[in-house]
Amino acid sequence: MDQTLKQSSASAIRLEGVHVTLPSRAGPVAILRGLDMNVAAGESIAVVGRSGSGKSTLLMVIAGLERATEGCVSVLGADFWTLNEDDLARLRAANIGIVFQSFHLVPTMTAIENVALPLEFLDRDDAFEAARAALAEVGLGHRETHFPGQLSGGEQQRVAMARALAPKPSLILADEPTGNLDETTGADVMDLLFSLKERTGATLLLITHDRTLAKRCDRIVSLADGRATSGRVTSAGTKRRAAAS
Amino acid sequence: MTAADLISPLPAIGLRLPLALAIALRELRAGAGGLTIFVLCIALGVTAVAAISSLGASFDAALARQGRLLVGGDISFERVHRRACAEERAALDSEGLVSESASLRAMARIAGGKSALVEVKAIDNAYPLYGAVVITEPKDAGAIWRKPGVIVVERSLLERLNVKIGSTLSIGEATVTIGGILGIQPDRLADRLAYGPRVLMSLETLDRTGLIQPGSLIRWIYRAKLPGLLGNDKTAPNTARFGIEAKFPESGFAITDWTDPAPSIRREVQRFTQFVSLVGLAALLLGGIGVGNAIGSYMAKKREVIATFKCLGASGRLVLAVYLIQALMLAGLGIVLGIVIGALTPALLSTIYGDALPIALAVEPHPASLFTAAGAGLLTMLLFVLLPLGRASVVPPAVLMRSHLTDEQERPPLAFIATAAASGLALFALAIAASEERVITASISAGIVAEFLLLLGFGWVLQLLAARFRRSKPAAWALALASIAGPGSIARQIAVSLGLGLGFLVAIALIDRSLMEEFKENLQADAPAYYFLDIDAKDLGAFRDTAEAVEPDAKLADAPMLRGRIVAVNGVPAEKVEAAPDSRWVLASDRGLTYADKVPEGSTIVQGSWWALDYNGPPLVSFDAEAGSGLGLKLGDTIMVNVLGRNVEAHIANFRKIDWESLAINFVMVFSPNTLVNAPHRVLVTLENPKETDSAREAKLVQALADRFPLVTAIKVGDIVEAAKDLLQKVMTAIRMTAAVTLLIGVLVLVGAVAATQQRRKYQAVLYKTLGATRGRIVRAELLEFGLLGLAIAAFALAAGTITAWALCKWAFEVKFVFSGLAAAETVLLALALVLGVGAIATWRVLSAKAAPYLRGE
């Protein structure tokens, strides 16, 4: 399988009839119920919905971290049903950058080591050089040797973003990236995320409660009861489409 | 209304125990959360201490309880060479019912020349005064040995000579018939170490053998059963003892009574138990580390719960009480488990090894041992639990508001540090108080603590080294080294948990190897092949001629030999002399004595000088330098020995360094010839064959000597060495088993330490998978981490064990140290197997972790 899938396919994410049902003591729980979604390459999508609507599960399915029980999942042209766990891991390393609400930096590694990790998994000889550059891009070149416990929340999130973007992924998934940050820091982080997205032309899927933030994306998709709406194009999306054409 | 009005008054009492107990139980209701290891560590550690202590107490109690059985009477009078004369016998008979017996070594021969060394016991009709002789075959034999010319023998003699019940043998000049197979004798423990199968016969049969000769090495034992109620009076034996000693001050009797039936065995068992107890203490301390890890991990998980309690109004004292109650309850469970298993150990050992044990152990619980073990367990628990509890009591409520990724740890208050230190000191003091050799115990205990600190330091060094190379390629190495170097590393836990047990095993293996090589080397060198006892001096020439006729190149050495007992040193009675533990054996029983006009071969004078060839002055003696030092002797001091019923006092003319390992003829005391030359005595001869002599030729030589000199006893040196090696192996096995318990506890501690990091490992593995690591890479990283740590600790244990073994071989055992590549390889493999085994289980669990629970947004 070609690990490096650049913007070769018109559809970055294609989900058809996706069901995710999880076992529990009280019986199976349906999280996603026949969800359909299509995201074009280079598009930015905000996924909104109430708590428990399945937003995080959706992100996990797209990232290949959770298997759909039923339905078709195709990301960057790769049909997930044909990929085993290692294939999915390699796909993520080369093509998908993920930013989490709780940052999820490796606590036993320094900032530069955290950022270099996915590049090391790709056996890149220039892993640390690229990591250094990514950290500089998010304004944390001077914090290379700090451990996560020695960084503020905003700094940790910027390191997480540098880590997500260092391999120059085609797809960025962000799950409430500002959820643990104050308003000002959150705004700074989102400005950085969008600017990096624009610079790389990556596809962005953003899970958020913040409507203002959601409006910065091209399209807003609502999740309710395990299903998605077709998505409302935002004014930012309209402008972008007009510019593209 | 003010804020003060809204705050309810706090109750006057500090701890609020019933509430603390209720909360503690509610928390435990949801499960002990990984505290199973806590309970098991305490249980195993207490088991080790309780089992060892109970076994020692069982043995002591058995000796005390079976005293009469072991002595064979209420009191026993023993001496070598001379039977009691009529006057002595009459005096003994006046004390009560007396049984006379004679013990000696002799040769049993069959037609065709095959012979075997046997341990003969000849008894009268009064024997046994207590207990019964068991004849296993035929079942209805009764006291068949009382028939003149009939003997009963241990089964091993039948196998050795290929004979059966009803066969005839020659012993001395008599032909005897095997009447049955000897089972247990009641006084077996008091007998000396047997080099051959035991044979029981009547005194009349012994008379027929012609083995009773002036100066021959026969031990005469007179056992008395004191009349009526005197038998139960603990002071009555002393009355009998003093009576005989007063009537016959130079009789030379060694006297033991039922209140202390085997004093030297009791002392040796006590010494051994004390040494093994120290290993048990190390095991308990190691268990304590496991306890500390478990409780530390448990309390770390409880930080938010504690913060919540405090937000809701709980005081630090209440929090402390809750978790202290939990710790005490679980420790109590572990301690009870430990003392139950420890208390059952003597019964278990009796059930499994009953027939092999020399006495029946007293299997009931021994409260003092169990209380000591329980006390040690409690102190260990307090030592390792107070610091984590102290931290817990000062957790600020603000923890709830802070990011989970910060790793701050509160400092325990000074009172907790001081109390933990006091518990440690109390444990130390308990170990010393429970020991007889306090200086040695204190030194070894300090050594054990130092060893733990050294291991901790080694773990820290490993972390530093890993940090240095954390950016290695490929990525699996980088992940492994980052895990070793970073916070939450298990480097120190692996070092401490396995280092001690592995180090012990290496040291024991190397000491064992060195001692065995020493045995082998000495046998291969110029050690004699045989000792021949009880040769009449006038037959010496003929003996030499017979030997040289069969084997012209055989080397023979001879020395006159008597036996005597040291009864006083510088006028101080032997039983009151303060001797170093390693030298007490010299005073404990009779010793071989000889006289010589020249310095014996295999000895070197280190102080003083030898007497002139024609010396005829007051008796002089040459003394073993090492034993003399242990008795605090110096040149000119007097030694009084009782020989053949006479007290002989001699001045120490010189001290000799003796090469005991050569197995050549050597004696602790060598007298000037004028002292003993006129005493009736026999000659000891050693035989050394040329190196190329095969066993058939050797047997032919021995047979020729046996045929010509039927009253001479031949002891094959190889058999003695094998018996010694066998005993050494049994002791080593017992020590190894104790070390293995330490290792077992170490594995448990390691499992606990790895379990405590499992959540972190799973989280890390999920992160790595999310970032693109394949399962293979994650497995490689995990196994590399454990493998590197296993190798490192194996190397440390090898080095520490080797240094310990070398030091002990050089200074304690005084043998050449021999390194064993096999022991080294076995250590490395064992360390790797243990660490990788635990690691493999941890890795399998880590790989199966699902991403969602760790990564979902809150």
Side-chain angles (χ1 to χ4, degrees), chain A residues 102-125:
Chain A
S102 298
F103 327 134
H104 289 310
L105 297 176
V106 181
T108 55
M109 293 188 181
T110 60
I112 192 167
E113 286 166 348
N114 265 283
V115 175
L117 255 183
L119 301 168
E120 289 183 283
F121 294 154
L122 291 169
D123 294 317
R124 286 215 357 212
D125 290 332

Side-chain angles (χ1 to χ4, degrees), chain A residues 86 89 92 104 108 113 121, chain B residues 470 763 769 772 775 777 854:
Chain A
D86 286 347
R92 280 194 295 274
H104 289 310
T108 55
E113 286 166 348
F121 294 154
Chain B
R470 63 192 296 146
Y763 175 60
K769 268 198 263 186
R775 282 168 303 178
R777 199 187 293 266
Y854 292 93

Side-chain angles (χ1 to χ4, degrees), chain A residues 22 56-57 60 65-66 84-86 89-90 92-93 98 100-110 112-114 117-118 120-125 128 132 147 149 156 163 175, chain B residues 403 405-407 470-475 478-479 482-483 485-488 760 763-764 766-777 847 850-858:
Chain A
L22 298 176
S56 293
T57 304
M60 298 281 176
L65 292 168
E66 194 133 33
N84 64 26
E85 281 217 28
D86 286 347
R90 280 189 279 266
R92 280 194 295 274
I98 311 175
F100 296 98
Q101 178 180 350
S102 298
F103 327 134
H104 289 310
L105 297 176
V106 181
T108 55
M109 293 188 181
T110 60
I112 192 167
E113 286 166 348
N114 265 283
L117 255 183
E120 289 183 283
F121 294 154
L122 291 169
D123 294 317
R124 286 215 357 212
D125 290 332
F128 279 89
R132 189 162 287 121
F147 286 93
Q156 289 184 63
R163 183 180 67 183
D175 185 356
Chain B
S403 162
L405 290 174
T406 58
D407 213 7
R470 63 192 296 146
R471 295 207 190 159
S472 302
K473 286 189 175 132
L479 297 182
S483 194
R760 173 181 71 79
Y763 175 60
Q764 241 169 233
V766 159
L767 276 187
Y768 294 157
K769 268 198 263 186
T770 306
L771 296 171
T774 58
R775 282 168 303 178
R777 199 187 293 266
L847 276 186
K850 295 264 181 255
Y854 292 93
L855 300 180
R856 266 182 214 289
E858 289 180 9

Side-chain angles (χ1 to χ4, degrees), chain A residues 185-198:
Chain A
T185 310
D188 289 343
V189 161
M190 288 318 298
D191 286 343
L192 185 57
L193 179 64
F194 275 102
S195 86
L196 291 170
K197 181 260 177 216
E198 287 306 316

Side-chain angles (χ1 to χ4, degrees), chain B residues 265-345:
Chain B
I265 293 178
R266 180 179 50 77
R267 269 196 301 272
E268 290 313 312
V269 168
Q270 261 175 5
R271 279 182 91 184
F272 180 75
T273 309
Q274 266 170 37
F275 166 72
V276 175
S277 296
L278 288 168
V279 179
L281 179 67
L284 183 62
L285 279 176
L286 191 54
I289 290 173
V291 160
N293 287 344
I295 199 75
S297 165
Y298 179 70
M299 296 312 298
K301 284 185 219 165
K302 292 288 177 183
R303 278 179 91 231
E304 285 189 18
V305 170
I306 292 167
T308 306
F309 283 160
K310 288 190 175 178
C311 283
L312 297 172
S315 66
R317 277 190 176 193
L318 178 62
V319 166
L320 171 66
V322 165
Y323 294 102
L324 187 58
I325 287 170
Q326 288 186 356
L328 284 170
M329 284 170 67
L330 293 169
L333 179 62
I335 289 171
V336 164
L337 267 174
I339 60 179
V340 164
I341 299 172
L344 288 174
T345 304

Side-chain angles (χ1 to χ4, degrees), chain B residues 300-561:
Chain B
K301 284 185 219 165
K302 292 288 177 183
R303 278 179 91 231
E304 285 189 18
V305 170
I306 292 167
T308 306
F309 283 160
K310 288 190 175 178
C311 283
L312 297 172
S315 66
R317 277 190 176 193
L318 178 62
V319 166
L320 171 66
V322 165
Y323 294 102
L324 187 58
I325 287 170
Q326 288 186 356
L328 284 170
M329 284 170 67
L330 293 169
L333 179 62
I335 289 171
V336 164
L337 267 174
I339 60 179
V340 164
I341 299 172
L344 288 174
T345 304
L348 203 65
L349 218 65
S350 279
T351 310
I352 300 172
Y353 297 111
D355 292 338
L357 294 173
I359 56 171
L361 293 176
V363 299
E364 71 278 3
H366 302 280
S369 304
L370 300 179
F371 278 128
T372 307
L378 189 64
L379 287 171
T380 305
M381 187 275 293
L382 286 174
L383 172 61
F384 288 96
V385 144
L386 281 176
L387 292 182
L389 287 187
R391 274 190 218 110
S393 70
V394 296
V395 164
V399 155
L400 283 178
M401 315 306 168
R402 288 199 203 113
S403 162
H404 295 298
L405 290 174
T406 58
D407 213 7
E408 51 189 288
Q409 244 194 2
E410 292 72 31
R411 227 193 113 129
L414 198 55
F416 287 86
I417 299 174
T419 313
S423 305
L425 283 170
L427 183 64
F428 194 55
L430 181 65
I432 294 173
S435 157
E436 280 196 15
E437 298 190 38
R438 295 195 170 152
V439 173
I440 294 180
T441 302
S443 316
I444 296 182
S445 302
I448 291 171
V449 171
E451 177 78 10
F452 276 125
L453 291 173
L454 196 63
L455 285 164
L456 263 177
F458 180 68
W460 179 69
V461 165
L462 284 179
Q463 284 187 264
L464 287 179
L465 279 172
R468 205 97 202 239
F469 296 99
R470 63 192 296 146
R471 295 207 190 159
S472 302
K473 286 189 175 132
W477 279 86
L479 297 182
L481 290 168
S483 194
I484 293 172
S489 164
I490 53 168
R492 272 175 274 182
Q493 282 90 336
I494 285 188
V496 168
S497 61
L498 295 186
L500 201 64
L502 283 173
F504 268 146
L505 286 174
V506 167
I508 291 165
L510 292 178
I511 291 169
D512 190 17
R513 175 75 197 273
S514 300
L515 289 172
M516 288 297 137
E517 281 300 311
E518 184 76 11
F519 274 120
K520 217 165 84 180
E521 214 175 86
N522 282 317
L523 270 188
Q524 283 167 357
D526 299 324
Y530 275 88
Y531 284 74
F532 293 94
L533 307 178
D534 287 337
I535 299 169
D536 197 329
K538 62 182 190 319
D539 289 336
L540 189 56
F543 191 90
R544 281 184 174 274
D545 292 341
T546 309
E548 280 156 12
V550 178
E551 183 54 73
D553 295 327
K555 272 196 232 166
L556 290 103
D558 61 83
M561 181 160 162

Side-chain angles (χ1 to χ4, degrees), chain B residues 217-255:
Chain B
L217 278 175
I218 301 179
R219 293 178 180 280
W220 293 96
I221 307 166
Y222 299 88
R223 297 177 176 92
K225 188 173 183 175
L226 301 178
L229 293 171
L230 282 178
N232 292 324
D233 179 358
K234 281 192 181 174
T235 60
N238 280 337
T239 311
R241 177 197 296 261
F242 297 146
I244 297 294
E245 281 175 346
K247 279 186 199 148
F248 308 99
E250 293 186 16
S251 65
F253 281 124
I255 306 171

